Amino acid sequence: MPDFPMPRGTCPFRQHPGYAEAAALGPLTKVSMAHGQIVWFVTGYAETRALFADPRLSVDRTNPGYPGSAAATPEQLEQLRETQSFNQLDDPEHAAYRRLAIPSLTVRRVKSLRPALQSAVDDIVDDLLAAGPPADLVPALAVPLPSIMLSLLYGIPDRQYFEQRVQQAATDRRFGGRALSELSDYLDTLLRSRDGTGDDLLSGLMSGRRADQVTQRRVLNLALQTLVAGNESTLSMLAMGALSLLAHRDQWEALVADPGRVPAAVEELLRYLSVADSVPRVALADVEITGEVIRAGDGVLLATPAANRDGNTFANPDELEVERSARHHVAFGYGVHQCVGQNLARATLEIAFGALVTRIPDLRLAVPADEVLIDGGVGVHRITRLPVTWGGR
Amino acid sequence: MGVSANREVCVGAGQCVLAAPEVFDQDDDGLVVVTAPDHPDDAAVRDAVHLCPAGAISHA
């Protein structure tokens, strides 16, 4: 039985070799985690989608059997219960919170944020071109852009204060924790000042708070955890997405030739990179699937990188093909907990990659792709530097 | 008959609006609205049904 977590390979944009090995054992297999906990490991696309959508699988990590909770003490579980965000709650409680967040993340609302995102990206590319090559796309683009995206989503008045701390939270090992705690205090105060009538996310959350549907602590947790999740995943997709395109020159050139292909390329990059990795669940009842029975109390890991490379669903799954139709990937999950910020993420990635291919078409890696080291094992994957150059140098 | 949506189970992901913008919209609450219920069962509508994470839309 394979162990989980699995070691990553050395190439930043290849999936864990262990995922393909697990997938070869069948769409559902088992892995061994810390403390001897054995959980289901789901690598098939159809099975992953079905289980994401199955209400008998719980996202609540305080339920016995949840992956990684084997050694948790009752006190630790109680503490987890106190600090859970809406995406760690099952319906119907989850739905009450999600419904407060979705008005600020509709397709129309995201469209209204596009001009401001475009302008932020234009400024970033202006600065890159003015400074001249070489450059590092992680601090220049991948770190600042998500903080600007979150500023716009949250309707932040003190943008410099907020964005600086959001960037620190994602990148600064020493002071990231303090930045997050400052953001918590800042958002708490800001939330209390919102009357619930604006179209930003914090106003949406407070509309329910005023109606007493939800608690202040949960609303603040939602705002903070949405910030962390949106920040890290978008940062990772910007950096690893740019790396993947530049390392597959024919794919980059296809976008330079026709930037109208960028939206499809973003879907393919989401599939190919699957940066959110394996998503934990625990069964609350017996679930029969593909000839196996997941018993009540069994932990389950939905291995989205493997599901998104299931050859039954995606032809040549290990190839990056920006022209394929990858819209049905499960990089944002599936079911009622599917990423609430996905349309904002799409817009941000489209605008960023669109600007790079149109304004710096001769952009290229300044070091070999396999020298761009990946940071961390489990959780959101990322790279910490992406040296690039352009022009004659 | 035609395209229908269950707003009770809708989670506001907006997948239907992206897949078939001439058939689906989101209201101010972010929930699905069918703007063209008699739309033929074409590829865009089938995509929307397939992509909806909550199983909230159907075409009968």
Side-chain angles (χ1 to χ4, degrees):
Chain A
M1 186 184 309
D3 287 335
F4 187 89
M6 296 164 181
R8 282 193 65 88
T10 51
C11 181
F13 44 77
R14 300 264 183 255
Q15 72 166 340
H16 307 59
Y19 281 28
E21 287 161 26
L25 300 173
L28 280 90
T29 180
K30 286 185 174 177
V31 292
S32 169
M33 297 184 71
H35 307 285
Q37 187 180 14
I38 292 172
V39 301
W40 292 95
F41 193 68
V42 184
T43 56
Y45 172 84
E47 290 78 9
T48 297
R49 228 175 91 106
L51 292 171
F52 262 129
D54 196 317
R56 293 171 295 182
L57 266 71
S58 169
V59 301
D60 185 341
R61 61 188 63 195
T62 65
N63 281 318
Y66 188 90
S69 73
T73 65
E75 293 75 28
Q76 286 169 327
L77 289 178
E78 187 52 41
Q79 204 182 352
L80 275 179
R81 222 168 261 126
E82 290 286 308
T83 55
Q84 266 168 325
S85 170
F86 79 119
N87 58 343
Q88 297 155 343
L89 298 169
D90 294 320
D91 277 349
E93 214 183 344
H94 155 263
Y97 286 91
R98 182 167 176 122
R99 289 203 167 194
L100 301 177
I102 56 179
S104 60
L105 287 157
T106 60
V107 172
R108 189 180 298 116
R109 160 96 172 132
V110 167
K111 199 171 169 189
S112 77
L113 295 178
R114 274 181 176 261
L117 281 168
Q118 182 71 56
S119 154
V121 169
D122 287 345
D123 289 347
I124 287 169
V125 178
D126 286 347
D127 289 348
L128 275 172
L129 291 172
D136 183 343
L137 283 188
V138 171
L141 172 74
V143 172
L145 187 54
S147 72
I148 297 167
M149 172 190 87
L150 290 163
S151 244
L152 297 170
L153 172 65
Y154 285 36
I156 297 295
D158 322 291
R159 285 187 51 178
Q160 201 185 352
Y161 177 92
F162 176 83
E163 288 167 17
Q164 195 182 35
R165 275 153 191 79
V166 171
Q167 295 174 25
Q168 228 177 354
T171 55
D172 193 328
R173 283 187 197 282
R174 197 153 156 232
F175 295 113
R178 194 176 77 188
L180 207 54
S181 132
E182 286 170 356
L183 283 168
S184 174
D185 293 342
Y186 176 77
L187 287 175
D188 194 25
T189 307
L190 196 57
L191 275 165
R192 290 173 198 275
S193 76
R194 295 279 151 103
D195 63 6
T197 57
D199 55 4
D200 61 275
L201 178 64
L202 299 183
S203 295
L205 297 181
M206 286 316 277
S207 67
R209 179 74 196 99
R210 297 276 182 249
D212 259 344
Q213 295 163 2
V214 295
T215 66
Q216 177 75 18
R217 174 181 290 193
R218 279 271 159 80
V219 161
L220 179 60
N221 282 346
L222 194 164
L224 264 182
Q225 296 202 8
T226 305
L227 182 153
V228 171
N231 192 22
E232 294 189 350
S233 56
T234 311
L235 193 167
S236 179
M237 274 305 301
L238 285 166
M240 305 237 309
L243 168 66
S244 300
L245 290 174
L246 293 171
H248 297 84
R249 197 71 206 176
D250 56 330
Q251 304 298 300
W252 173 268
E253 294 296 343
L255 299 183
V256 170
D258 180 5
R261 290 169 173 163
V262 168
V266 166
E267 300 301 334
E268 170 66 349
L269 288 167
L270 287 162
R271 177 196 76 84
Y272 185 73
L273 294 167
S274 299
V275 297
D277 210 314
S278 291
V279 182
R281 294 285 190 266
V282 59
L284 300 179
D286 291 359
V287 177
E288 273 190 64
I289 183 157
T290 322
E292 303 276 7
V293 181
I294 298 172
R295 297 284 175 198
D298 283 357
V300 180
L301 288 170
L302 302 172
T304 65
N308 280 335
R309 292 187 182 210
D310 183 334
N312 294 318
T313 303
F314 301 99
N316 306 318
D318 291 325
E319 300 303 320
L320 180 72
E321 295 176 354
V322 296
E323 284 170 72
R324 81 162 83 221
S325 171
R327 263 298 265 118
H328 51 303
H329 62 72
V330 288
F332 289 123
Y334 191 66
V336 300
H337 290 86
Q338 191 181 49
C339 176
V340 73
Q342 58 181 295
N343 295 318
L344 183 58
R346 287 190 168 99
T348 305
L349 296 169
E350 282 173 26
I351 290 168
F353 297 139
L356 292 181
V357 298
T358 48
R359 296 189 59 198
I360 325 180
D362 61 341
L363 191 70
R364 56 190 184 271
L365 294 174
V367 297
D370 56 9
E371 285 179 22
V372 180
L373 291 176
I374 193 136
D375 182 33
V378 194
V380 175
H381 306 153
R382 69 158 68 141
I383 50 179
T384 51
R385 53 190 287 271
L386 182 56
V388 292
T389 190
W390 62 93
R393 294 171 67 176
Chain B
M1 299 308 274
V3 183
S4 61
N6 181 349
R7 289 166 52 87
E8 292 299 308
V9 302
C10 174
V11 296
Q15 303 276 335
C16 55
V17 186
L18 292 177
E22 67 286 6
V23 185
F24 301 99
D25 198 0
Q26 286 169 284
D27 66 8
D28 288 344
D29 292 330
L31 299 178
V32 60
V33 180
V34 181
T35 55
D38 298 325
H39 195 85
D41 181 15
D42 67 5
V45 172
R46 279 197 297 276
D47 268 355
V49 170
H50 182 70
L51 290 172
C52 174
I57 52 180
S58 54
H59 192 284

